[in-house]
Amino acid sequence: MCVAKTKTLFKYLIYISLAFLAVALYKADYLKVPTIVSFPAMSASFLFLFAGFITGAVAWKHILKKSGYAVDWSECLAGVGLSIFSKYIPGKVWVIVGKAAYIAKNKQYSLGNLSAISLNSQFITLWVGLSIGSIGLLLLDGLHLRGWFILLIWLGLSVVIFSRVAHDISERLITSVLKKNMKIPSLDIKSTLSIIPWFVLYWTLFSIGFYLLIVSLTTIDIPFSVGLGFPLSATLGIMAIIFPGGLGAREGAIVSYLTLTGIPIAESAAIAVASRLWFLVGEIFIFIVGWIVHKKSQKKLQPQTDHSPD
């Protein structure tokens, strides 16, 4: 895809994703402010939430570097931020293409290769999220609920991430569909293991933030393992293809997880709904940060001609 087309694609992707976000939130009626019992805990939860989103951009930079693509930190931050709402577009495709398209238009790299790297990044994100979430279920003696299902997904992702055979099969399938030879970049096991700590940190920050969110909304004494429910629930939400952005799927998983800790179903449901608004604030934060970084970079490159959010 040429640079001009990629540039146009990314610009309209931003507008379309914002439209789908508005529609999804309006229909789901998630914009309800919960009753807060601890403002210090709530404030701290947002700090960890914001740090988690920033870490996501760092992880994106590292996987690009390991794949042989030199990309500035600011470009990764802008790409992740401006494309954050693309996950609300049904089908989940644009959540993979979005941040790749931003880099492709800036660096004139292959959108197909960058999208493949973004897909691999998504697989690693899911794999680490399931791993951390499963630890939470184990601590709460809840593996009997979805243990086999989670294990099968985890094993499947392990094959995709660490097996060269799976990569070669994917490459042949894409080549046959597109009727052209495609070389999809892949990481060896050593390189993959070297970047996994960034994804672990990404989910750990969200877990701490989620734990503090719950503390701010309930007077019930809860263990820290409750926070590990967020990576599991968010991962299941990401894999729920029919729900834009995991709307509904993530909340259902959170309710099931919270009830294991003894929190009543009604209160668990209220916390689950509040977590959607909480996470939305984080998405707005990273979008604004991405937009600011993008604007500053555009002023440096084209101060007199380009003032659009492309």
Side-chain angles (χ1 to χ4, degrees), residues 9-24:
L9 168 67
F10 188 80
K11 179 173 66 175
Y12 285 109
L13 177 61
I14 295 176
Y15 299 146
I16 294 172
S17 64
L18 289 173
F20 271 101
L21 168 65
V23 172

Side-chain angles (χ1 to χ4, degrees), residues 137-159:
L137 278 180
L138 179 63
L139 294 174
L140 294 174
D141 194 25
L143 280 177
H144 63 281
L145 296 178
R146 299 183 181 181
W148 286 108
F149 173 69
I150 294 173
L151 177 61
L152 287 174
I153 297 176
W154 186 87
L155 289 174
L157 288 171
S158 298
V159 171

Side-chain angles (χ1 to χ4, degrees), residues 4 27-28 36 42 67 76 93 111 124 143 168-169 178 189 214 225 228 239 285 310:
K27 289 183 177 180
I36 301 173
M42 175 65 74
S67 300
C76 291
V93 176
L111 177 59
I124 295 175
L143 280 177
D168 292 342
I169 292 175
L178 299 180
I189 294 179
I214 299 174
S225 57
L228 302 182
M239 292 186 293
F285 162 79
D310 43 59

